[in-house]
Amino acid sequence: MDIRPRRLRRTPAIRRLVAETTVEPRQLVLPMFVAEGATEPRPIASMPGVVQHSLDSLRKAAVDAVEAGVGGLMLFGVPLEKDATGSGLDDPDGILNVALRELAAEVGDATVLMADLCLDEFTDHGHCGVLTPNGAVDNDATLERYAAGALAQVRAGAHVLGPSGMMDGQIAYVRRALDAEDFTDTVLLAYAAKYASAFYGPFRDAVQSSLTGDRKSYQQDPRNGRESLREVALDIAEGADIVMVKPALGYLDVVRQVRDAVDVPVAAYQVSGEYAMVEAAAAAGVLERERVIDETLASIRRAGADIVLTYWAVEAARRLR
């Protein structure tokens, strides 16, 4: 008897029937940028098709995403003014908190509103925490700022907070602050395994980052894998509801190891550099754009991610439906 695996690949209908991995719109989260003072969407040169939104265009884009079936929206704020402590993070009138209120009023519980809980967009030095007099990131002082930001974001309407600064103890500190104010239902999406990656370059354009230097002293070394499992275990012990690996494509092995190790949902962030590379290659005519987008999303899901943050979320969701 001949064994012929190709029988199960013969037609599109058969391939669809036996597909091992699916990507559904509900599993996709759209990262969105909103710029203080913007009166219309501002294109981001290094990320074709992605913009810094005005509040008006943000609302419209959020409605479009909901109609496409996208599972959630992750918001990042781009303030006009920055300072050493990132005071815009917890300012009720700061752009991110204003945007959360606007979207909470616009789409309510029709989607999951997520907020980036970090200082880097709001600090004049561009680091994810406050600095000591000698210029190092002060871990414990930063936790106080995250707690203040968390309360502001929840009061503004966020359902999920994404502590992304990779400070030690950040999940426990934020969870205690939320619980003390009776925000016990707030979901924490821990950026548990966030690497000091070169793939973040376009994102820094998107948020007009003021960073000088690097974040290697608090984000993970790209050469390390086992370290991620330790970070993930700590975040879950501290109260994380979802854990995330960032970036995605260069760290699919980590996504798989994390998925095998935990019993909470696992997210992966398909970051700006991954997006920009595909768009540039497609524009140059060397890749089939839609096929590559779908293939990358399937690879992240196949590696074990339950949730994928991607700038293609709305486009992919429409195609999937």
Side-chain angles (χ1 to χ4, degrees):
M1 179 178 64
D2 291 338
I3 305 300
R4 295 185 179 271
R6 287 178 54 194
R7 293 186 188 114
L8 297 180
R9 305 173 195 148
R10 190 169 62 84
T11 68
I14 292 174
R15 292 194 294 272
R16 184 170 60 247
L17 177 68
V18 300
E20 298 174 15
T21 302
T22 59
V23 182
E24 300 178 24
R26 67 176 180 83
Q27 297 164 328
L28 305 178
V29 171
L30 176 66
M32 306 178 81
F33 305 101
V34 56
E36 186 176 11
T39 57
E40 59 184 9
R42 299 171 180 167
I44 300 166
S46 57
M47 299 178 69
V50 181
V51 301
Q52 291 179 341
H53 283 287
S54 67
L55 287 170
D56 283 343
S57 70
L58 181 76
R59 287 193 298 269
K60 294 174 184 176
V63 170
D64 287 345
V66 171
E67 290 176 349
V70 165
L73 310 173
M74 174 64 81
L75 267 61
F76 298 87
V78 185
L80 285 173
E81 296 183 3
K82 305 177 183 183
D83 56 35
T85 61
S87 60
L89 176 67
D90 56 316
D91 182 352
D93 295 321
I95 183 59
L96 183 52
N97 295 319
V98 170
L100 285 166
R101 287 198 297 274
E102 294 267 345
L103 290 193
E106 187 71 38
V107 300
D109 292 333
T111 192
V112 180
L113 290 182
M114 305 179 177
D116 179 54
L117 180 55
C118 197
L119 292 174
D120 58 322
E121 298 106 296
F122 301 97
T123 53
D124 53 14
H125 47 73
H127 278 286
C128 298
V130 295
L131 303 183
T132 64
N134 67 3
V137 173
D138 187 328
N139 190 96
D140 294 356
T142 297
L143 298 183
E144 296 181 17
R145 299 291 301 120
Y146 288 178
L151 294 172
Q153 290 175 348
V154 171
R155 288 169 178 147
H159 304 119
V160 176
L161 305 184
S164 60
M166 289 297 287
M167 297 296 121
D168 292 340
Q170 62 184 14
I171 298 300
Y173 204 97
V174 169
R175 179 62 75 196
R176 284 195 296 269
L178 293 170
D179 288 354
E181 296 293 326
D182 293 328
F183 293 119
T184 55
D185 290 335
T186 301
V187 174
L188 292 184
L189 164 59
Y191 285 58
K194 182 177 180 181
Y195 285 85
S197 173
F199 285 95
Y200 301 148
F203 177 91
R204 291 174 185 170
D205 290 342
V207 297
Q208 298 171 205
S209 174
S210 303
L211 181 67
T212 56
D214 58 53
R215 298 179 177 136
K216 294 179 181 178
S217 67
Y218 47 100
Q219 294 178 352
Q220 285 183 241
D221 189 326
R223 296 170 294 186
N224 292 354
R226 292 190 303 272
E227 180 182 37
S228 288
L229 298 180
R230 184 185 188 202
E231 292 278 6
V232 165
L234 286 168
D235 281 352
I236 292 174
E238 290 176 16
D241 302 289
I242 306 169
V243 293
M244 183 152 69
V245 177
K246 180 180 179 181
L249 291 179
Y251 299 86
L252 294 178
D253 60 321
V254 177
V255 175
R256 170 46 58 191
Q257 290 175 52
V258 171
R259 173 67 286 159
D260 289 344
V262 305
D263 58 3
V264 301
V266 174
Y269 197 142
Q270 187 175 46
V271 300
S272 59
E274 298 168 33
Y275 173 92
M277 287 194 306
V278 172
E279 292 290 349
V286 298
L287 291 179
E288 295 181 54
R289 181 178 176 278
E290 290 186 3
R291 284 188 63 195
V292 171
I293 291 170
D294 294 348
E295 187 174 337
T296 61
L297 293 174
S299 74
I300 298 166
R301 286 277 296 119
R302 190 180 66 248
D306 304 290
I307 301 163
V308 183
L309 280 72
T310 175
Y311 299 98
W312 289 304
V314 173
E315 175 188 343
R318 286 175 176 153
R319 192 156 57 244
L320 290 163
R321 294 182 76 180

